[in-house]
């Protein structure tokens, strides 16, 4: 079940990161490869036309230094789509929030690093 700090309303809303969750923004192409590698280990994922956003425990991605990825924590806002929006336009849930809505940061990091390897991209 989604945290009370993740408000799933009837419309897309900018919500503050850094409290119940942080988000890791990954370029769309790399993110899709990482999502495939994660499979069922992935928690909720927001997608827009340029990136995928994984929700991770707050502070768990401190020191994240992977090229072209960004950790959105305290002070950042993330556009969170309505509960069951699974297609665009605008941000939508590539993986809807459910029982396990946060992704393990170490597993995400490994999947993103693997997605950046040249042999994976071929």
């Amino acid at each position: 079940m989604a945290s009370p700090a993740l408000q799933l309303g009837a419309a897309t809303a900018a919500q503050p990161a850094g409290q119940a969750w942080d988000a890791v923004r990954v370029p769309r192409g790399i993110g899709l490869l990482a999502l495939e590698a994660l499979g069922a280990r992935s928690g909720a994922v927001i997608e827009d036309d340029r990136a995928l956003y994984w929700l991770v425990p707050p502070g768990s991605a401190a020191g994240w230094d992977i090229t072209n990825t960004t950790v959105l924590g305290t002070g950042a806002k993330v556009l969170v789509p309505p509960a069951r929006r699974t297609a665009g336009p605008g941000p939508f849930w590539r993986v809807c929030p459910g029982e396990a809505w946060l992704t393990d940061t170490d597993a995400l990091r490994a999947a993103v690093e693997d997605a950046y390897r040249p042999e994976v991209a071929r």
Side-chain angles (χ1 to χ4, degrees):
M1 175 179 225
S3 162
L6 180 64
Q7 302 299 317
L8 300 176
T12 298
Q15 294 189 30
Q19 296 171 16
W21 49 270
D22 285 349
V24 176
R25 180 175 53 216
V26 179
R28 190 173 180 280
I30 293 297
L32 291 173
L33 291 171
L35 181 58
E36 185 177 335
L38 281 169
R41 296 177 299 153
S42 181
V45 180
I46 298 168
E47 182 175 347
D48 64 24
D49 60 341
R50 294 179 299 203
L52 271 63
Y53 301 76
W54 273 268
L55 304 180
V56 298
S60 66
W64 186 282
D65 61 353
I66 300 174
T67 303
N68 295 323
T69 64
T70 305
V71 176
L72 303 166
T74 302
K77 294 209 175 208
V78 176
L79 289 177
V80 176
R84 296 291 174 214
R85 179 183 288 161
T86 57
F92 64 92
W93 292 105
R94 171 62 90 162
V95 178
C96 290
E99 227 17 71
W101 62 281
L102 293 176
T103 298
D104 177 81
T105 308
D106 293 334
L108 175 60
R109 181 181 188 89
V112 171
E113 287 174 341
D114 284 350
Y116 268 112
R117 291 196 176 130
E119 63 272 13
V120 173
R122 277 189 237 137

